[in-house]
Amino acid sequence: MPKKPSKTKPGRPQPEAAQLKAIERLIEAGEYTKAVQRLKPLVHRCPDHAGLRRLLVEALERSEGIRAAGLAAFEWAERRPNSVQAQGALLAFASRLGHVLLADRAARHLRALGMVTPGFPVTPDLRADLLSMPDGTAATVEQIERFDIGKLYLDAQDFAGAIARLDGLEILSARNNRAMALFHLGRIDEALAGFMAAWEADTDNLFALGWAVRLRLYRGDEVGAQGLTIPLAGATARRLDDALLQLDALLLLRQDAVARDVFTRNTQCDWFEIGEGYSRALLHHFAACAASRLGRVSDALGLWREALALTPDFKLALHNSAGLERDHQTFAYPSVFDLARALPLTWHAFPTML
């Protein structure tokens, strides 16, 4: 009898069956980190093997979280654009991570392969909303897809990958994220130049301006940082992310009364009641720190309680509010910043509060 034709292309590297079985046993035993350690070199050697890619996505989600798994799903889909499994994985993870237009692209691939994609394509109204930039301009679909890909790399802490993917993408959020990736690689001068350029291109980009203050202080340029106080204090944030960096920078500059006034002004903005719980809690925490430094016990305690209502396990707010309730007086030096978020992630571990 003639042999059946092989389903694998000649010369395409394949893992040994024993290797796959060993990885599957690790996953069944809950040894996800060990499974990832074995899978990564195998995926590098056999990049087109669907079983390895699927196992890597699963093991990463269980060991490192959805962001790492989402990036692995994207790299699989990019490698295998005509794979239903790969595009289905990207569609699922991009949807869960909020990368709607990247999910829409995966859905388009799936429909071309004969699959049904409930909820996709996105409606024209939603597409127009997703293409609308904070500065009032409109991006293209391709630009937002590229931004979503760069964000996948940034969130998975592949900062070199984020820089490469965002390079040359001249929309506000992409410029901000590329500069942030430079910061997390410890390339402080390049990051500062990037944030300053982003702010100069759009003076309402308080995210970039706040980071510029932070990085000038990191470099020991206190005079230069203080020189940004006036534009920082006088602006009204147009979104939550801008407000967070605005208050962060004002607290670093010890502009406590200004920070408190800015927070009060922000409460009147349309975006104030919208957004992810932790970010909104962090904004209330910054305002509480300003109130505490100003000796306003009731205000500080009330703001920390609001932060905890939004995020009950928020350690900084728990620490500060417990001390305030115990001592019945405010702190001149409350714990303000989470260094895991404020220092480059490529640096060694530091204490978690300052």
Side-chain angles (χ1 to χ4, degrees), residues 107-299:
R108 188 162 61 248
H109 279 286
L110 286 168
R111 289 194 301 276
L113 295 169
M115 306 302 292
V116 177
T117 56
F120 293 94
V122 299
T123 65
D125 286 347
L126 177 56
R127 180 180 291 105
D129 185 55
L130 292 167
L131 297 179
S132 177
M133 296 291 96
D135 59 1
T137 61
T140 66
V141 170
E142 181 185 9
Q143 285 176 320
I144 299 302
E145 288 175 359
R146 283 186 61 194
F147 170 77
D148 284 349
I149 292 166
K151 189 70 162 55
L152 280 175
Y153 280 87
L154 183 66
D155 287 345
Q157 299 183 18
D158 183 343
F159 303 119
I163 290 167
R165 294 287 183 164
L166 296 171
D167 191 35
L169 184 54
E170 296 301 322
I171 59 175
L172 178 147
S173 296
R175 290 194 294 265
N176 287 346
N177 282 359
R178 187 176 186 279
M180 196 185 308
L182 287 165
F183 163 74
H184 282 305
L185 285 175
R187 295 160 61 178
I188 305 300
D189 288 347
E190 293 174 78
L192 176 56
F195 281 124
M196 286 300 296
W199 174 62
E200 288 164 359
D202 174 12
T203 54
D204 286 327
N205 185 354
L206 299 184
F207 185 94
L209 182 59
W211 268 100
V213 168
R214 180 186 284 185
L215 297 190
R216 283 187 174 182
L217 290 172
Y218 281 174
R219 295 174 65 211
D221 182 9
E222 187 171 352
V223 173
Q226 290 287 349
L228 298 176
T229 301
I230 291 175
L232 193 67
T236 298
R238 60 193 175 194
R239 56 181 187 152
L240 179 57
D241 285 351
D242 289 319
L244 286 170
L245 267 297
Q246 183 183 27
L247 261 68
D248 174 286
L250 289 169
L251 290 172
L252 283 169
L253 294 168
R254 302 296 303 192
Q255 297 291 327
D256 304 319
V258 175
R260 188 70 182 90
D261 290 343
V262 165
F263 174 80
T264 301
R265 191 163 73 233
N266 285 338
T267 63
Q268 306 304 310
C269 295
D270 293 341
W271 51 258
F272 185 76
E273 297 292 340
I274 303 170
E276 184 260 331
Y278 176 81
S279 295
R280 292 174 59 208
L282 186 59
L283 191 68
H284 284 79
H285 162 69
F286 284 158
C289 290
S292 182
R293 288 176 174 180
L294 293 167
R296 297 166 66 168
V297 177
S298 178
D299 286 353

Side-chain angles (χ1 to χ4, degrees), residues 19-153:
Q19 291 175 312
L20 279 173
K21 289 292 184 184
I23 291 166
E24 289 171 350
R25 284 195 295 270
L26 286 173
I27 290 175
E28 289 171 3
E31 299 282 355
Y32 304 115
T33 300
K34 289 181 180 179
V36 169
Q37 290 170 349
R38 293 198 185 185
L39 279 162
K40 284 187 173 181
L42 279 174
V43 167
H44 181 74
R45 185 167 65 83
C46 311
D48 295 315
H49 193 279
L52 289 175
R53 292 281 191 177
R54 178 183 55 78
L55 290 171
L56 180 61
V57 169
E58 179 184 352
L60 280 170
E61 182 175 16
R62 293 176 178 272
S63 62
E64 299 179 28
I66 184 176
R67 292 174 173 180
L71 177 56
F74 164 74
E75 291 182 335
W76 181 16
E78 186 176 49
R79 179 81 185 188
R80 301 298 304 275
N82 295 320
S83 164
V84 169
Q85 284 190 69
Q87 297 302 326
L90 177 58
L91 174 60
F93 281 97
S95 298
R96 290 168 63 190
L97 289 163
H99 300 312
V100 178
L101 290 184
L102 186 59
D104 196 47
R105 188 176 83 172
R108 188 162 61 248
H109 279 286
L110 286 168
R111 289 194 301 276
L113 295 169
M115 306 302 292
V116 177
T117 56
F120 293 94
V122 299
T123 65
D125 286 347
L126 177 56
R127 180 180 291 105
D129 185 55
L130 292 167
L131 297 179
S132 177
M133 296 291 96
D135 59 1
T137 61
T140 66
V141 170
E142 181 185 9
Q143 285 176 320
I144 299 302
E145 288 175 359
R146 283 186 61 194
F147 170 77
D148 284 349
I149 292 166
K151 189 70 162 55
L152 280 175
Y153 280 87

